[in-house]
């Protein structure tokens, strides 16, 4: 008798402590949609998350002007992330060039 992969995989991910890495990968994949939902289409493709460490999401922006725009609107993005990724432990988003 075989056990379906859908039952084995989540258990192995937990055992290996890879849950945060998988959540971060999903967040990176969904980033443009998160930004568009939060701020509008003109903010798409202007930034990309590159690290999630110690409850801080690090995001690289196209230039200093976009970095400033994202910093001003951090709270809106944060709320959208928390809605989509309830189990993600996140305290703050840091934007940089």
């Amino acid at each position: 008798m075989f056990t379906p992969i859908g039952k084995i995989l989540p258990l192995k991910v937990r055992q290996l402590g890879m849950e945060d890495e998988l959540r971060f990968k999903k967040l990176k994949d969904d980033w443009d949609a998160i930004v568009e939902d939060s701020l509008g289409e003109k903010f798409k493709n202007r930034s990309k998350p590159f690290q999630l460490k110690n409850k801080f999401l690090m995001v690289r922006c196209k230039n200093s002007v976009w970095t400033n725009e994202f910093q001003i609107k951090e709270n809106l993005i944060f709320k959208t992330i928390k809605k989509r990724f309830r189990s993600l432990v996140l305290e703050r988003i840091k934007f940089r060039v």
Side-chain angles (χ1 to χ4, degrees):
M1 183 171 298
F2 294 101
T3 305
I5 190 78
K7 289 187 178 186
I8 295 171
L9 198 55
L11 176 62
K12 287 297 178 189
V13 166
R14 263 182 267 139
Q15 287 174 344
L16 294 170
M18 296 178 64
E19 293 169 305
D20 287 341
E21 288 88 354
L22 287 176
R23 285 187 200 104
F24 179 56
K25 165 94 172 79
K26 177 73 172 139
L27 186 143
K28 284 174 33 176
D29 292 345
D30 293 354
W31 182 253
D32 282 332
I34 290 167
V35 169
E36 185 175 12
D37 289 350
S38 304
L39 308 176
E41 190 172 341
K42 77 175 190 175
F43 284 83
K44 274 177 59 176
N45 301 315
R46 309 288 186 209
S47 64
K48 273 292 180 210
F50 68 92
Q51 187 177 36
L52 178 62
K53 188 174 181 182
N54 299 327
K55 302 177 188 174
F56 285 81
L57 177 63
M58 307 300 288
V59 178
R60 189 164 285 119
C61 301
K62 293 273 185 190
N63 56 45
S64 60
V65 174
W66 282 109
T67 301
N68 188 48
E69 288 289 327
F70 279 103
Q71 286 172 337
I72 291 168
K73 301 185 183 316
E74 174 189 353
N75 194 40
L76 297 171
I77 299 170
F78 188 87
K79 286 179 183 178
T80 303
I81 291 171
K82 292 309 278 181
K83 268 193 247 176
R84 289 182 180 219
F85 299 91
R86 296 175 198 263
S87 60
L88 183 67
V89 180
L90 184 63
E91 288 182 3
R92 182 137 187 255
I93 306 171
K94 290 188 176 183
F95 299 96
R96 58 178 56 163
V97 178

